[in-house]
Amino acid sequence: MYLYLPVALTSINILVPVGLGLAVGLLSGLFGVGGGFLMTPLLIMFGIPSTVAAATDSNQIVAASTSGTYAHWKVGNVDFKMGLYLLVGGSLGGVVGVQGIKLLRAMGNADFVIKMTYVLMLGIVGVYMFVESLQSMKKNKNAVVEEAKTEKESAMGRFLKSLPLQTRFEKSGITHSVFVPIVLGAFVGILAAIMGVGGGFLMVPIMVYMLRMPMHVVVGTSLFQILFTCIEVTFLQAYTNHSVDFILAVLLLLGSTVGAQVGAVFGRKLKAEQLKILLAGIVLAVTVKIIFELTLTPSLLLSQAGGH
Amino acid sequence: MHMHLHSFIIHYARFIGSTRFLGTLLLLLVYSLFQLVAAKPASAMLTARANHDHITIDFFYHGSSVSVRGEADPNVDLVIKITSPEGHQVLKQKGKVGGMLWMNVGQLKFENTPNFYEVFSTKKIDDILSRDEMEKYTIGYTALQKHVEVSPVANEEEKAKWFSEFVRFKEDSKVYATSFGKIETTMTKDGRQDYYILTDWPYQAQPGDYLVSVYAVKSGKVVEQAEAKVNVEQVGMVKALATMAKNNAAFYGFLSIGVALGAGFGVSLVFRKGGGAH
């Protein structure tokens, strides 16, 4: 059955957005990412204008991350305090990132820098997570004591402990200076704004490897943080660009809210390393897809720009 | 000349002095003038009528069809052009960076460009119309290319290249098309030609007014022209939502967020039982 989308000005088979929502929602509940890096290009592929695809996806993520956050919160896997500090940093970073984009555009060649940043970030995160989780899976099997790593950690730990305003994050079982999550949140915020993505794929590894949060708390906390970011983005997109398609968002969230719940339940059955290596695999797959897009001659050399 | 004839008749009437004779002559004169006017052009009105000329877009709209029919002289070819009003369009332009990476390298502006452009003809346009006439009436892609302004391009060659990319892009979204042989024609009893075309109306065509121009073509020239209109309009909830998104953006934003939050919580509550505690 087809439904007409009043803002996208196109008609779509309802099974497409519901199915896409279900799949991406599942990943969202499993890994704590918004999934925009998958959803937006897929929607464009199905004929949705790019501006509407990105804006509507953020609306849909509001629903999926509410559903996912709730599911993770029920089992005590959301660190609200950490989430809030990351949010503060993220919004500061977002402001800086938007200015950065303006600067890049003024210098020309902005698209090149954006695309390269995106590919590099995806590639680095994907490879690092993949290798790291593969190693820790092996180590767990052989029950080797992580001596070298402990040494390294303590050096890094000493520096972090020397920072002022140390505070305890109960849910994650860690202590950090408040500046650590704010600065890291800002770093993700800047990059996310420049790349035009939510940044979940960056936030998750940062929480795991730099903040040293337990993987299952990372997923819940990341979703909590994404929820607020996407509420803000949805409103701005609806208000300034008129690019949110309500009907498309509803179709997507029908799938994604359910997917997020299933993902959260399924995620509890997986070990942290398994989750990490799966996410790494997806990030690497997206990297490869973008590399193909960059190198193969596109079928059309023109595409819709913003506005009309 | 008629004035001369007229005064001559009056003079002659006076000369004869008979009013009845004058009346008869005047009648004859009027009749012959009428005959002269009526017989002047050989062509007998081309007509065009679009059936289903008001297309409404509701939630279940998935495109439609439009038919155009009318009458024409028996010995003409026909061209039917359906267009939206002209405007300007800005598109992202892909190019190779560093000789190997494809990405957006800038934007191209297309002026005097219709968003929708379809041309149907009884025969191949190049075989029935001269270049000049095609350009005069903007019939066919070659003529449209001349009509459209593309910037920034360095020369005509580059313009041609990007215009053909533009056509490919538009054809891909089903809003540009040209074809021949789809118009059906039948001869009527009174020696006229009936024409008829039924064409799919793509759902990608945006709401608005569309102009159907029908051209009767003979010896490489347009000899007659008729027009009809097609209006595409959103109705009901589709219209209400589209209008709200534009005119009441803040409320629309809150509504979208509210529904998403509600749906997220709603589904969570449904799943609570099955979710399992610690």
Side-chain angles (χ1 to χ4, degrees), chain A residues 2-4 9-11 59 63 66 70 112 242 244 246 253 257 261 268 294 296 298-303, chain B residues 57-59 62 92 94 101-103 165 168-169 172 203 234 245-246 252 256 260-261 263 267-268 271 275:
Chain A
Y2 287 88
L3 265 193
Y4 189 79
L9 298 177
T10 187
S11 166
N59 187 12
T66 304
Y70 191 95
F112 181 78
H242 313 296
V244 173
F246 181 76
L253 67 81
T257 45
Q261 291 284 335
R268 260 173 259 148
L294 284 171
L296 298 178
S299 62
L300 293 172
L301 296 185
L302 289 171
S303 62
Chain B
I57 300 180
D58 58 14
F59 274 132
H62 188 62
K92 278 193 219 160
K94 278 203 175 73
L101 299 177
W102 286 97
M103 51 182 73
E165 284 298 330
R168 287 205 317 126
F169 171 71
D172 190 62
Y203 61 81
Q234 295 179 327
K246 275 203 188 84
Y252 182 84
S256 306
L261 286 171
V267 170
S268 303
F271 268 76

Side-chain angles (χ1 to χ4, degrees), chain A residues 199-272:
Chain A
F201 76 92
L202 286 174
M203 192 57 100
V204 169
I206 277 185
M207 284 196 254
V208 174
Y209 298 115
M210 303 185 91
L211 293 172
R212 300 264 159 207
M213 289 165 67
M215 184 62 188
H216 286 92
V217 182
V218 164
V219 175
T221 310
S222 172
L223 285 175
F224 168 73
Q225 197 240 248
I226 284 170
L227 167 62
F228 285 91
T229 314
C230 284
I231 287 178
E232 190 199 342
V233 173
T234 304
F235 185 77
L236 289 177
Q237 291 277 23
Y239 190 69
T240 52
N241 297 334
H242 313 296
S243 49
V244 173
D245 195 298
F246 181 76
I247 299 301
L248 179 60
V250 168
L251 292 174
L252 289 168
L253 67 81
L254 282 178
S256 70
T257 45
V258 175
Q261 291 284 335
V262 176
V265 173
F266 193 52
R268 260 173 259 148
K269 299 200 166 97
L270 291 175
K271 290 195 187 102

